[in-house]
Amino acid sequence: MKLLIYEANSGFTSYTKPLANAISERDGMSVSLMTSKGNKELNGISPCVSVLCDLDEYKAGLRHGSVRWLIDRMLVSWRNILHRNRVVAKSDYDVVLVEFTLPIIDQFYFKRLRKSSKVVLTVHDVIPPNRSRFWSMRSLKKLYRVADHLIVHSEENKRELIDRFQIAQDKISIIHHGVHANKALCDKSECRQRLNISEQENVVLFYGSIRPQKGLDNLIRALDGVDATLIIAGALPHGEDFTSYEQLIAKHGVKTLRMIEYVSDEMTDVLYGAADIVALPYKYFFSQSGVFMQAIQYHRLIAASDVSSFSSYVHRYELGLLCQPDDIRSLHATINEMAQNKELLYKNAKFEIALNDNSWEASADKHISLMRAISSMDHAKQ
């Protein structure tokens, strides 16, 4: 079976790379990954994966929300979608697995793509986290309906698709977001020495892209008066700056270590290794979080808002504690409790079970079973 994984945003490489690697290791699978020309995260990609760095990138330095910024993103995305369709039309891929695209454009091109291959869309965000001109509820609905099949990461996400978009339940499969079950872990003492953080300090990690919906502002406010160092590591959306967060940090006197930039795999290991608690104070969320799954991978306790599938994972594997979404007092109390009881919480956490249940290898097997079933379907029946 020939599979093309289409990733028009290199920010998804932490997901697509291990998935492509795991699928390519299975007998009878030929895997290609189509990604952006300047993708920095391809180290460690399996030689069995054919990497097509064909996709144009957005221009850097344009002011977020400006007319030039908007035009650039629309034109680049349109060119990439056309290129993808041309490549697929000239090839013999059985399935195209789309990991990221702009619904406002691709709602019109999925149907054409389906003439050459089966199209499976991974719905990482049932509803995207930020308002944007690049999607609408109408364009999402059309995109979801035109695809041959949809993948989500949890039962909660499947229910959202059914209830909000009236998608037939047999058109949706649940496949977990994978984790590296045998990840080598860094020594906490060494990681803290590298970051110049003391052994006794409580360390809270906020990791990943910094978007308003993720609640970093609430986390900073909630840490007012808490004896802890907050590590903030991740990039801002193109054209945005960190000024408002800097003002909050100064106002509330929160000790911070900041890396507002692309974070390498090596430094990711160090940051998670140094942390006691990984915070996901999301205000709302309609997906599964790669940061959440990484916390499991690195054996780190999780303080998360009770949104999406977080509660089912936290309760099933005793991974930490939950707070109410967009509630600073609840978040403050949750982190305080975890800091005071972290030894007991770590003792009870079932990291190994969670890792075995959610490995990339298990995810690959589920993807392959689904794609074989989808590829055998007759388009005429769609």
Side-chain angles (χ1 to χ4, degrees):
M1 174 180 287
K2 291 190 66 175
L3 167 67
L4 174 67
I5 301 176
Y6 175 77
E7 174 205 45
N9 183 331
S10 59
F12 281 86
T13 307
S14 60
Y15 179 91
T16 58
K17 181 173 68 175
L19 177 62
N21 285 349
I23 293 176
S24 71
E25 293 172 357
R26 299 299 189 266
D27 291 338
M29 296 301 302
S30 173
V31 181
S32 298
L33 172 62
M34 181 179 285
T35 187
S36 58
K37 295 173 181 176
N39 192 336
K40 300 176 182 178
E41 299 187 44
L42 293 173
N43 289 337
I45 195 79
S46 169
C48 297
V49 177
S50 175
V51 180
L52 311 175
C53 292
D54 293 349
L55 303 178
D56 291 337
E57 297 182 291
Y58 301 138
K59 289 182 180 177
L62 299 179
R63 183 171 58 84
H64 179 80
S66 67
V67 173
R68 290 182 62 197
W69 178 89
L70 177 64
I71 292 173
D72 174 66
R73 274 143 184 76
M74 293 290 281
L75 286 177
V76 169
S77 299
W78 177 66
R79 288 199 301 267
N80 287 340
I81 287 168
L82 288 179
H83 174 73
R84 176 201 66 197
N85 283 16
R86 284 194 295 266
V87 169
V88 173
K90 296 176 182 178
S91 305
D92 56 348
Y93 293 109
D94 297 292
V95 176
V96 176
L97 179 60
V98 177
E99 298 293 346
F100 176 83
T101 190
L102 288 195
I104 202 69
I105 299 175
D106 226 357
Q107 61 174 321
F108 304 110
Y109 289 91
F110 258 30
K111 189 172 183 179
R112 193 173 302 175
L113 182 63
R114 288 182 63 210
K115 293 180 179 179
S116 306
S117 174
K118 300 293 184 181
V119 178
V120 177
L121 173 65
T122 304
V123 185
H124 292 285
D125 298 291
V126 177
I127 300 174
N130 296 320
R131 291 185 177 182
S132 169
R133 296 181 183 180
F134 303 137
W135 66 271
S136 64
M137 296 298 282
R138 184 175 179 178
S139 63
L140 287 173
K141 187 172 185 177
K142 184 172 181 181
L143 193 73
Y144 296 157
R145 290 190 169 186
V146 174
D148 287 291
H149 203 81
L150 305 174
I151 292 173
V152 294
H153 299 312
S154 70
E155 183 63 44
E156 292 85 352
N157 300 154
K158 181 174 181 177
R159 179 52 52 191
E160 289 283 346
L161 278 175
I162 294 170
D163 292 345
R164 289 178 180 266
F165 297 97
Q166 294 77 54
I167 304 298
Q169 62 178 354
D170 61 356
K171 188 177 176 176
I172 310 167
S173 293
I174 301 171
I175 302 180
H176 61 268
H177 189 303
V179 292
H180 294 288
N182 299 308
K183 175 74 175 178
L185 303 180
C186 297
D187 179 76
K188 179 182 278 190
S189 297
E190 293 178 3
C191 292
R192 291 202 172 187
Q193 286 177 8
R194 183 165 173 179
L195 298 174
N196 197 27
I197 298 174
S198 73
E199 295 264 357
Q200 294 73 35
E201 190 74 17
N202 291 309
V203 177
V204 178
L205 173 63
F206 180 95
Y207 181 91
S209 58
I210 302 170
R211 301 191 183 103
Q213 151 267 345
K214 291 189 175 183
L216 176 57
D217 55 342
N218 285 348
L219 179 59
I220 294 168
R221 293 183 178 100
L223 287 174
D224 192 335
V226 177
D227 184 18
T229 293
L230 171 62
I231 300 177
I232 305 170
L236 289 155
H238 291 293
E240 296 188 10
D241 62 48
F242 196 71
T243 303
S244 62
Y245 298 108
E246 289 177 341
Q247 293 170 347
L248 280 175
I249 290 167
K251 178 180 178 180
H252 294 280
V254 177
K255 291 183 286 185
T256 61
L257 188 159
R258 309 172 210 174
M259 297 182 184
I260 314 305
E261 59 192 6
Y262 164 78
V263 181
S264 68
D265 289 344
E266 179 191 2
M267 184 53 66
T268 296
D269 291 345
V270 173
L271 296 176
Y272 275 95
D276 296 303
I277 299 166
V278 177
L280 296 98
Y282 293 1
K283 299 177 181 180
Y284 57 91
F285 198 47
F286 301 99
S287 183
Q288 178 57 284
S289 166
V291 175
F292 187 100
M293 303 307 288
Q294 280 183 312
I296 299 174
Q297 178 177 287
Y298 286 97
H299 295 220
R300 289 298 176 258
L301 291 175
I302 296 169
S305 301
D306 188 2
V307 294
S308 190
S309 62
F310 289 174
S311 63
S312 60
Y313 274 83
V314 167
H315 292 148
R316 187 185 317 155
Y317 304 114
E318 299 184 59
L319 299 174
L321 297 177
L322 299 168
C323 65
Q324 293 303 308
D326 206 9
D327 186 325
I328 296 169
R329 287 186 179 181
S330 177
L331 179 58
H332 175 88
T334 297
I335 292 177
N336 249 340
E337 182 177 350
M338 291 183 68
Q340 293 170 14
N341 299 286
K342 60 186 179 185
E343 289 81 9
L344 178 61
L345 290 169
Y346 267 110
K347 181 179 178 180
N348 293 333
K350 301 172 182 175
F351 291 117
E352 293 299 336
I353 297 174
L355 288 168
N356 289 332
D357 289 349
N358 297 279
S359 69
W360 282 114
E361 289 73 22
S363 176
D365 289 340
K366 292 179 180 179
H367 274 85
I368 292 168
S369 294
L370 171 64
M371 290 183 293
R372 284 177 174 158
I374 294 297
S375 65
S376 66
M377 295 169 60
D378 184 357
H379 270 298
K381 295 179 181 180
Q382 299 301 301

